[in-house]
């Protein structure tokens, strides 16, 4: 409409009107194609959820990396991300980029130092590759006296902020500080990899193409919204960002502007970092504010069948109390009707732990048992001086992924269940191991190590690591407790 009667306008006065008309048309075109309207407000979750529906068009692409990048820009525009942002984030990448990598986080230092410095999941995988008990190794290398001292200083230095966040989100302050310490050493180690190029490479060649392609679009959306500059978006070699080590999707859904400056800054703002962690644990993890701790070292009554224990054998905490399970110091467990499990990370000769619902809330942050142990132990050390009292077995050697897959195949052939030979010892595999151990007169902890592997392969069995004799004769003690 603004183009009408331009001929009767005074000379020189048509340019502003022409520009305004062009802007109006461009705005309408952007709105029609899905862009332009998303920019209002600070919440990007609606835009991201809509964008996730378009991810298969990217993750299923099977051509070259250059073609994947072109597809990412195409899908990104359909998600409402501006072309300028897409070219700024992806324009410098090409097929040759796949052969190069950003600086490694831990080049040239010892394995112990790598595990201590790496971000959560990366450190756990390093600990597993060492060959011993991964929980023991990760705790020994990660939860150092220096980290505990720094954690206590953070508790003291940010007392007022932590009290405010704890009052608002009901997540204990010492667990927030522990998460902060394990994820980034209180902000000292946040990663040196550029997030967008890292996610682009993972989205193209990882076996989790759909996941990382979605995270790539999320990272570009964060930059497009002005939440963070591309030049500052550095993180781990898996694309986890900032002091919280959030993936882009976690940032979009759970990051919080606690200090009220209009930005959700998980890179520099301590207030936003700690509040975002608390918000994540409440909304995604399901933290139970009525249970103080995530972990207790316990001792089992002699009559309790070991076969009733295991990470996946969940029972109400009150049932474990009535069955006679006590803390290692003899004190009673807290009362709760929420499920908990008893776990032996080193088999029947090692320490025994009761894991509450909050342990699993931590695992929603990072789905690795070793990681949740590290956060829980650090938190309890910071607040209560927690120490694991029962010593770890000295000769407890972990299996390689190939050996775990072979173990699954063997147990399947022996009739202990139809197990997928993927090398991941999940619930079905652990229960199959327990059944094997029970049938062979071994302590049925569900723990797999090299001696169990040799036993299954019939290379012997004497001196089996969990061989503290067979399990106690089954009783009705626990079942009676549950019925009360």
């Amino acid at each position: 409409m603004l183009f009408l009667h331009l001929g009767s306008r005074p000379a020189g006065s048509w340019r502003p009107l022409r520009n305004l008309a062009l802007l109006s048309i461009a705005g309408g075109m952007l709105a029609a194609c899905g862009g332009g309207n998303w920019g209002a407000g600070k919440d990007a979750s609606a835009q991201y959820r809509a964008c996730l529906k378009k991810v298969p068009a990217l993750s299923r692409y099977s051509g070259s990396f250059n073609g994947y990048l072109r597809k990412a820009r195409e899908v990104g525009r359909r998600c409402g991300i501006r072309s300028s942002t897409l070219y700024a984030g992806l324009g410098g990448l090409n097929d040759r980029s796949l052969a190069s990598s950003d600086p490694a986080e831990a080049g040239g230092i010892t394995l112990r130092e790598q595990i201590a410095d790496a971000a959560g999941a990366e450190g756990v995988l390093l600990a597993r590759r060492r060959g011993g008990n991964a929980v023991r190794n990760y705790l020994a290398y990660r939860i150092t006296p220096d980290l505990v001292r720094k954690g206590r200083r953070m508790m003291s230095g940010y007392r007022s902020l932590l009290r405010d966040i704890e009052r608002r989100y009901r997540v204990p302050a010492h667990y927030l500080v522990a998460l902060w310490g394990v994820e980034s050493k209180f902000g000292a180690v946040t990663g040196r990899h550029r997030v967008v190029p890292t996610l682009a490479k993972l989205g193209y060649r990882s076996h989790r193409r759909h996941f990382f392609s979605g995270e790539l679009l999320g990272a570009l959306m964060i930059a497009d919204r002005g939440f963070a500059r591309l030049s500052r978006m550095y993180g781990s070699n898996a694309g986890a960002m900032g002091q919280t080590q959030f993936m882009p999707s976690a940032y979009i859904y759970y990051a919080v502007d606690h200090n009220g400056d209009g930005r959700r800054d998980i890179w520099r703002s301590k207030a936003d970092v700690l509040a975002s962690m608390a918000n994540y644990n409440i909304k995604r993890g399901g933290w139970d504010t009525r249970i103080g701790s995530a972990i207790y070292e316990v001792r089992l009554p002699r009559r309790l069948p070991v076969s009733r224990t295991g990470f996946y054998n969940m029972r109400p905490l009150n049932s474990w109390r009535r069955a006679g399970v006590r803390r290692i110091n003899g004190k009673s467990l807290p009362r709760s009707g929420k499920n908990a499990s008893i776990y032996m990370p080193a088999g029947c000769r090692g320490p025994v732990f009761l894991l509450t619902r909050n342990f699993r809330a931590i695992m929603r942050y990072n789905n690795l048992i070793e990681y949740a142990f590290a956060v829980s132990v650090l938190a309890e050390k910071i607040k209560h001086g927690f120490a694991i009292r029962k010593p770890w077995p000295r000769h407890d050697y972990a299996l390689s992924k190939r050996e775990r897959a072979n173990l699954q195949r063997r147990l399947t052939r022996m009739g202990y269940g139809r197990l997928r030979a993927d090398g991941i010892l999940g619930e079905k595999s652990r229960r199959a191991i327990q059944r094997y151990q029970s049938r062979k007169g071994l302590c049925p902890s569900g723990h797999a190590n090299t001696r169990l592997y040799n036993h299954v392969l019939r290379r012997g069995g004497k001196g089996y690591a969990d061989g503290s004799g067979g399990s106690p004769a089954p009783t009705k003690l626990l079942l009676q407790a549950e019925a009360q």
Side-chain angles (χ1 to χ4, degrees):
M1 307 315 127
L2 293 172
F3 287 103
L4 297 178
H5 311 296
L6 288 180
S8 61
R9 310 291 278 168
S13 65
W14 62 274
R15 286 191 179 89
L17 290 173
R18 182 193 65 180
N19 294 341
L20 181 59
L22 290 172
L23 286 173
S24 299
I25 292 173
M29 292 173 65
L30 282 172
C33 68
N37 290 339
W38 290 113
K42 296 295 183 181
D43 184 16
S45 58
Q47 180 186 5
Y48 186 63
R49 281 193 294 269
C51 187
L52 287 178
K53 298 177 182 178
K54 303 174 178 63
V55 170
L58 175 60
S59 61
R60 292 171 184 167
Y61 178 82
S62 58
S64 66
F65 186 49
N66 280 341
Y68 177 85
L69 295 172
R70 286 194 297 270
K71 195 71 174 178
R73 289 193 287 268
E74 175 190 326
V75 175
R77 283 191 291 270
R78 289 167 54 198
C79 288
I81 302 171
R82 291 174 296 180
S83 295
S84 57
T85 302
L86 293 167
Y87 278 97
L90 302 173
L93 301 176
N94 52 47
D95 284 332
R96 293 189 299 273
S97 304
L98 286 174
S100 63
S101 60
D102 285 335
E105 188 77 55
I109 61 176
T110 67
L111 180 62
R112 178 187 291 268
E113 292 170 318
Q114 289 182 46
I115 296 173
D117 285 345
E122 185 182 0
V124 170
L125 298 178
L126 285 166
R128 287 179 177 179
R129 286 201 293 271
R130 188 178 185 274
N133 184 285
V135 174
R136 178 193 63 203
N137 290 345
Y138 192 58
L139 290 177
Y141 295 162
R142 189 67 161 171
I143 311 305
T144 62
D146 182 58
L147 194 68
V148 176
R149 284 193 295 270
K150 287 181 179 177
R152 289 172 179 160
R153 287 203 299 270
M154 295 298 172
M155 286 283 291
S156 175
Y158 295 97
R159 183 182 292 110
S160 177
L161 171 64
L162 287 165
R163 188 184 302 118
D164 179 48
I165 294 173
E166 183 173 354
R167 185 165 50 244
R168 179 170 179 178
Y169 294 97
R170 304 300 298 275
V171 179
H174 55 296
Y175 274 89
L176 292 177
V177 170
L179 274 168
W180 188 22
V182 172
E183 282 295 345
S184 64
K185 281 194 169 181
F186 312 110
V189 181
T190 58
R192 296 166 55 192
H193 299 268
R194 291 176 298 157
V195 169
V196 169
T198 295
L199 291 172
K201 295 174 188 178
L202 290 170
Y204 175 68
R205 63 185 177 186
S206 166
H207 69 283
R208 300 177 65 195
R209 290 173 60 104
H210 183 87
F211 171 78
F212 285 112
S213 294
E215 296 297 334
L216 169 63
L217 294 170
L220 291 165
M221 194 175 295
I222 289 169
D224 194 55
R225 285 297 196 95
F227 296 152
R229 296 179 183 175
L230 285 169
S231 60
R232 292 179 179 173
M233 288 176 65
Y234 280 77
S236 74
N237 59 6
M241 310 181 300
Q243 297 185 39
T244 60
Q245 289 293 282
F246 274 2
M247 295 300 288
S249 59
Y251 177 94
I252 290 170
Y253 290 135
Y254 303 110
V256 170
D257 173 24
H258 189 75
N259 61 10
D261 65 354
R263 303 178 67 86
R264 295 180 287 170
D265 189 352
I266 61 172
W267 290 269
R268 293 175 299 181
S269 168
K270 301 296 188 292
D272 292 359
V273 166
L274 292 165
S276 296
M277 287 180 163
N279 188 48
Y280 187 99
N281 273 284
I282 283 291
K283 289 187 177 178
R284 179 170 170 80
W287 187 275
D288 189 343
T289 59
R290 294 164 294 183
I291 304 174
S293 298
I295 189 172
Y296 295 94
E297 187 180 3
V298 298
R299 60 187 186 194
L300 305 181
R302 291 187 178 182
R303 292 187 299 162
L304 178 65
V306 175
S307 59
R308 300 288 186 186
T309 67
F311 182 79
Y312 298 100
N313 289 328
M314 302 285 291
R315 302 179 187 277
L317 201 154
N318 287 336
S319 294
W320 296 117
R321 278 173 50 91
R322 291 191 290 264
V325 178
R326 294 289 183 270
R327 300 188 203 186
I328 194 70
N329 59 10
K331 293 183 179 180
S332 297
L333 294 168
R335 298 180 183 275
S336 174
K338 300 294 184 181
N339 279 344
S341 61
I342 290 177
Y343 182 57
M344 302 177 182
C348 292
R349 290 187 174 181
V352 183
F353 301 93
L354 184 135
L355 311 178
T356 72
R357 173 176 175 170
N358 290 338
F359 188 92
R360 282 168 167 77
I362 296 170
M363 289 184 67
R364 296 301 297 272
Y365 204 100
N366 187 314
N367 192 35
L368 293 168
I369 290 176
E370 297 92 335
Y371 172 89
F373 260 99
V375 172
S376 302
V377 169
L378 178 58
E380 296 301 325
K381 280 182 176 290
I382 289 172
K383 183 71 177 289
H384 303 296
F386 176 83
I388 297 173
R389 291 174 56 170
K390 188 169 184 178
W392 295 84
R394 294 184 60 187
H395 304 293
D396 181 27
Y397 301 110
L399 303 179
S400 67
K401 187 171 184 177
R402 180 185 60 80
E403 289 170 330
R404 294 195 300 270
N406 194 33
L407 175 64
Q408 290 168 319
R409 283 190 288 268
R410 292 290 184 123
L411 290 172
T412 297
R413 286 200 294 267
M414 295 166 69
Y416 288 96
R418 297 181 62 183
L419 308 178
R420 183 178 178 182
D422 56 4
I424 300 172
L425 300 183
E427 181 174 3
K428 289 180 67 176
S429 296
R430 295 289 182 185
R431 293 187 187 279
I433 291 169
Q434 281 188 306
R435 289 195 295 272
Y436 175 86
Q437 291 167 327
S438 294
R439 193 170 296 179
K440 299 298 181 180
L442 307 171
C443 185
S445 64
H447 179 60
N449 56 17
T450 54
R451 292 193 177 182
L452 170 73
Y453 185 70
N454 290 336
H455 197 284
V456 172
L457 268 58
R458 300 191 179 184
R459 295 177 182 169
K462 294 182 179 180
Y464 172 69
D466 273 1
S468 52
S471 62
T475 71
K476 295 183 179 179
L477 179 64
L478 186 62
L479 297 177
Q480 290 172 348
E482 290 178 325
Q484 293 177 9

